[in-house]
C-alpha cells in the first residue's frame, strides 16, 4: 500500500516547473500556483496544482494530511558548493583580515587553507563527523535538502580518503543528500612546497595514486581544482581534470576568484559541470559560458565575508545567457555560513539579481550543476518531494529578511527533517 501525503495550505507554491537548466529571462519564471497543494507518494511528488484540483483526486481522500497554513513553499535548496568537512573555524584569521591582512598574506604565513589542513590531519573521523552533523542540521534548518561536499583539507592520501569516506558515511546516516567531490588539488600542501619539483610531485600523487583510488572506491562523482594564484595553474588544472575524467570523475573548477587565470575557458573546454566564483571574469569568459552547458556558480558569501567589495557580474552573466547558480561555499576560511537565504539576500542586494532569479539559481540551476536536474530542483511530478516552507506571505520576503531564519519546515523525500518550534506544536 502506497504511503501518500496530501500537503495543502501553500499561499504560493513555487513549482519552478519546466525542464532543464534556466538561462536569461527563464530564471525569473517560478511557476507559482496560488493556494497550491501537493500529493506525495513514497517520497516523490505524485501530483502538484491548486488545492481544488489536488483535493479532488481519489487518492487525496485516504492520504495523510499536512496543512501549511498559508505559507510559501518552494523546492528545497540545492547547495552545489560546500567544503563540509573541516576540523575548526578560523575565527583568529577573521580578526587579522579585519585588521587589513590579505587572504594571500595569511596563506603565506601558514594560515588559510594550510591551517585547516594541519587541523584536519590531526582530527579524528569521529570529531570531524560530529562537526559535519551539526552543519548538516543547520543546512536543513535553512531549507537546504541537497549539498555538494568537497574534500581538500587533507591533501595527503590518508586524509583525503578520510574526508571522502565521511561524505559516504554521513550520506547514509542522515537525511540530506551529499554529492561528493574530490578536491585534492585545493593547494599544494606544506611538505611539497618550497622546491621547484614540489608541485610536480604533488600533482603526480594526485594523478597516479589518489584519483585512481578515489575512483576505485567510488568515493566521488566530481573532481575539482582550485585554479588561482597561490594554488594551481591552468595547465596543471587541465592535467588533473583530464586524469579525473579518465577515471570517471566529472570536472568542476574554482575559477577567477582572486585573479583571472583562464580557468573559465578551461572549464568550458573540458565540459566542466560548473565553474565557481567568477569575480574576475572578462567579457570573453562570459560569452564562452553563455554558449556552454557549464554552470556559472556564484558564491557571494565569500566576497561578503572577506569584505573584498567585488562581486561576480551576475547581471552580465544572466543577460548573456549563462546558466547561473548560487551556493554558500560553506568553508571555515572565506564563507562560514550554511544559510542559503542569506546567500539569496546577497544575490539580490549585491549581485542585483531579482528574488525570483536568485531562487531559481539556488534550486533548479543548483541541481543542474550537480547533474541531478531529473531528480531534484523543482516541484514536478516524479521528482523527490524535497521542499522548504517559509514563514512569509510572499516569496520575495525570503531574501528581503536577511540574517534571520524564516524557514518553517524542511522536507526531504516527503519526510520532515526540520521544523520550527511553532511547526512542531
Ligand atoms: Zn570553494
Amino acid at each position: 500500500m502506497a504511503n501518500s501525503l496530501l500537503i495543502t495550505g501553500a499561499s504560493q507554491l513555487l513549482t519552478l516547473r519546466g525542464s532543464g537548466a534556466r538561462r536569461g529571462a527563464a530564471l525569473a519564471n517560478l511557476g507559482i500556483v496560488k493556494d497550491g497543494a501537493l500529493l506525495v507518494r513514497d517520497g516523490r511528488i505524485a501530483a502538484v496544482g491548486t488545492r481544488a484540483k489536488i483535493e479532488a483526486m481519489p487518492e487525496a481522500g485516504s492520504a495523510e494530511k499536512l496543512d501549511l497554513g498559508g505559507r510559501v513553499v518552494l523546492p528545497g535548496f540545492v547547495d552545489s558548493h560546500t567544503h563540509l568537512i573541516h576540523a575548526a573555524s578560523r575565527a583568529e584569521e577573521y580578526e587579522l583580515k579585519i585588521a587589513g591582512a590579505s587572504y594571500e598574506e595569511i596563506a603565506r604565513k601558514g594560515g588559510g587553507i594550510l591551517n585547516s589542513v594541519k587541523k584536519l590531519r590531526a582530527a579524528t573521523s569521529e570529531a570531524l563527523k560530529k562537526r559535519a552533523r551539526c552543519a548538516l542540521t543547520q543546512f536543513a534548518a535553512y531549507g537546504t535538502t541537497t549539498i555538494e561536499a568537497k574534500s581538500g583539507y587533507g591533501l595527503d592520501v590518508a586524509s583525503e580518503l578520510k574526508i571522502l569516506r565521511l561524505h559516504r558515511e554521513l550520506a547514509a546516516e542522515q537525511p540530506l543528500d551529499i554529492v561528493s567531490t574530490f578536491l585534492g588539488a585545493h593547494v599544494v600542501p606544506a611538505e611539497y612546497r618550497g622546491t621547484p619539483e614540489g608541485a610536480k610531485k604533488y600533482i603526480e600523487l594526485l594523478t597516479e595514486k589518489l584519483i585512481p583510488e578515489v575512483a576505485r572506491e567510488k568515493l566521488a562523482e566530481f573532481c575539482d581544482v582550485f585554479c588561482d594564484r597561490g594554488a594551481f595553474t591552468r595547465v596543471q588544472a587541465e592535467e588533473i581534470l583530464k586524469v579525473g575524467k579518465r577515471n570517471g570523475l566529472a570536472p568542476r573548477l574554482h575559477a577567477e576568484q582572486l585573479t583571472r587565470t583562464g580557468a573559465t575557458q578551461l572549464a568550458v573546454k573540458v565540459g566542466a559541470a560548473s565553474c565557481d566564483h567568477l569575480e574576475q571574469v572578462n567579457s570573453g569568459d562570459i560569452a564562452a559560458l553563455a554558449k556552454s552547458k557549464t554552470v556559472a556558480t556564484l558564491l557571494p558569501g565569500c566576497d561578503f565575508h572577506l569584505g573584498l567589495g567585488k562581486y561576480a557580474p551576475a547581471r552580465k552573466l544572466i543577460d548573456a545567457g549563462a546558466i547561473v547558480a548560487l551556493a554558500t561555499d560553506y568553508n571555515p576560511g572565506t564563507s562560514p555560513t550554511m544559510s542559503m537565504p542569506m546567500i539569496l539576500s546577497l544575490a539580490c542586494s549585491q549581485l542585483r539579481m531579482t528574488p525570483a532569479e536568485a531562487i531559481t539559481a539556488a534550486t533548479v540551476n543548483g541541481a543542474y550543476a550537480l547533474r541531478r536536474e531529473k531528480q531534484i530542483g523543482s516541484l514536478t511530478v516524479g521528482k523527490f518531494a524535497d521542499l522548504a516552507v517559509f514563514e512569509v506571505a510572499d516569496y520575495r520576503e525570503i531574501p528581503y529578511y536577511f540574517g534571520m531564519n524564516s524557514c518553517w519546515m524542511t522536507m526531504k523525500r516527503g519526510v520532515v527533517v526540520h521544523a520550527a518550534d511553532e511547526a512542531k506544536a
Side-chain angles (χ1 to χ4, degrees):
M1 169 92 183
N3 179 12
S4 303
L5 172 66
L6 173 67
I7 302 173
T8 56
S11 59
Q12 294 178 331
L13 181 68
L14 279 50
T15 63
L16 284 288
R17 63 177 167 249
S19 60
R22 302 295 183 83
R23 302 173 189 261
L27 264 105
N29 185 6
L30 297 176
I32 298 176
V33 179
K34 284 186 186 155
D35 194 14
L38 289 158
L39 187 70
V40 176
R41 189 188 308 129
D42 295 331
R44 288 182 190 267
I45 297 166
V48 55
T50 60
R51 176 198 287 259
K53 181 185 150 198
I54 304 301
E55 278 185 341
M57 293 174 66
E59 191 179 339
S62 59
E64 197 186 324
K65 312 280 191 297
L66 174 64
D67 185 346
L68 299 176
R71 294 179 173 85
V72 171
V73 181
L74 63 152
F77 295 123
V78 180
D79 192 345
S80 59
H81 186 137
T82 89
H83 302 253
L84 175 69
I85 306 281
H86 51 266
S89 90
R90 299 213 306 263
E92 69 287 356
E93 290 177 14
Y94 182 50
E95 207 163 31
L96 290 173
K97 279 176 216 149
I98 293 165
S102 76
Y103 181 57
E104 288 154 299
E105 275 161 15
I106 289 168
R108 274 198 296 274
K109 286 179 190 157
I113 293 167
L114 294 178
N115 180 354
S116 288
V117 170
K118 211 184 290 172
K119 287 176 179 162
L120 185 133
R121 288 178 180 176
T124 64
S125 286
E126 211 33 64
L128 293 169
K129 201 191 241 188
K130 191 175 166 202
R131 185 176 173 83
R133 265 194 216 114
C134 293
L136 287 159
T137 304
Q138 286 296 311
F139 278 112
Y142 284 94
T144 295
T145 47
T146 297
I147 67 160
E148 185 255 16
K150 303 176 194 294
S151 67
Y153 292 123
L155 309 187
D156 63 28
V157 174
S159 308
E160 283 294 303
L161 294 177
K162 176 165 83 175
I163 298 170
L164 296 172
R165 287 176 187 139
L166 283 173
H167 290 166
R168 176 178 286 177
E169 287 174 31
L170 284 160
E173 70 174 47
Q174 58 75 56
L176 301 200
D177 280 330
I178 299 174
V179 179
S180 183
T181 293
F182 175 61
L183 178 62
H186 202 179
V187 289
V188 176
E191 62 273 26
Y192 288 89
R193 283 178 175 251
T195 66
E197 286 293 289
K200 195 166 170 266
K201 283 202 177 126
Y202 183 62
I203 291 167
E204 274 169 24
L205 178 78
L206 294 177
T207 54
E208 290 171 19
K209 184 142 194 199
L210 253 167
I211 290 173
E213 183 58 29
V214 169
R216 198 158 34 240
E217 286 191 47
K218 295 192 168 53
L219 288 172
E221 288 177 45
F222 296 97
C223 182
D224 194 345
V225 178
F226 184 20
C227 184
D228 214 318
R229 191 169 67 206
F232 293 88
T233 65
R234 182 187 157 149
V235 171
Q236 292 168 334
E238 182 162 8
E239 184 190 345
I240 296 161
L241 292 176
K242 277 186 173 165
V243 174
K245 230 174 157 176
R246 274 206 301 277
N247 282 272
L249 304 179
R252 51 192 337 122
L253 269 160
H254 282 67
E256 336 292 8
Q257 179 190 7
L258 305 167
T259 52
R260 188 183 171 276
T261 61
T264 302
Q265 303 283 348
L266 172 62
V268 171
K269 181 181 165 191
V270 300
S274 71
C275 62
D276 304 26
H277 279 293
L278 308 179
E279 285 83 348
Q280 313 294 338
V281 283
N282 65 22
S283 55
D285 300 331
I286 293 171
L289 282 169
K291 277 188 267 158
S292 79
K293 290 181 176 173
T294 297
V295 176
T297 301
L298 311 183
L299 311 168
C302 192
D303 307 297
F304 172 75
H305 181 76
L306 292 175
L308 297 177
K310 179 164 183 172
Y311 289 85
R315 277 265 57 90
K316 284 184 184 164
L317 284 159
I318 292 170
D319 296 344
I323 306 166
V324 169
L326 286 164
T328 61
D329 191 17
Y330 170 60
N331 79 80
T334 62
S335 191
T337 185
M338 303 89 169
S339 170
M340 195 64 103
M342 179 67 193
I343 299 303
L344 300 190
S345 298
L346 292 172
C348 293
S349 70
Q350 305 303 307
L351 303 184
R352 319 308 288 182
M353 291 171 71
T354 66
E357 289 170 337
I359 287 171
T360 302
T363 54
V364 170
N365 283 1
Y368 189 80
L370 297 183
R371 300 191 167 165
R372 277 175 171 59
E373 70 277 8
K374 292 199 166 68
Q375 294 115 59
I376 54 172
S378 66
L379 302 180
T380 309
V381 172
K383 286 195 184 183
F384 288 120
D386 290 5
L387 46 101
V389 183
F390 277 77
E391 181 74 279
V392 291
D394 182 292
Y395 74 87
R396 287 169 288 207
E397 290 178 2
I398 298 171
Y400 166 86
Y401 289 108
F402 69 91
M404 52 178 282
N405 190 8
S406 49
C407 181
W408 189 75
M409 179 180 281
T410 308
M411 194 175 270
K412 180 72 189 173
R413 299 192 183 187
V415 175
V416 175
V417 294
H418 158 75
D421 288 343
E422 319 85 76
K424 287 174 194 150

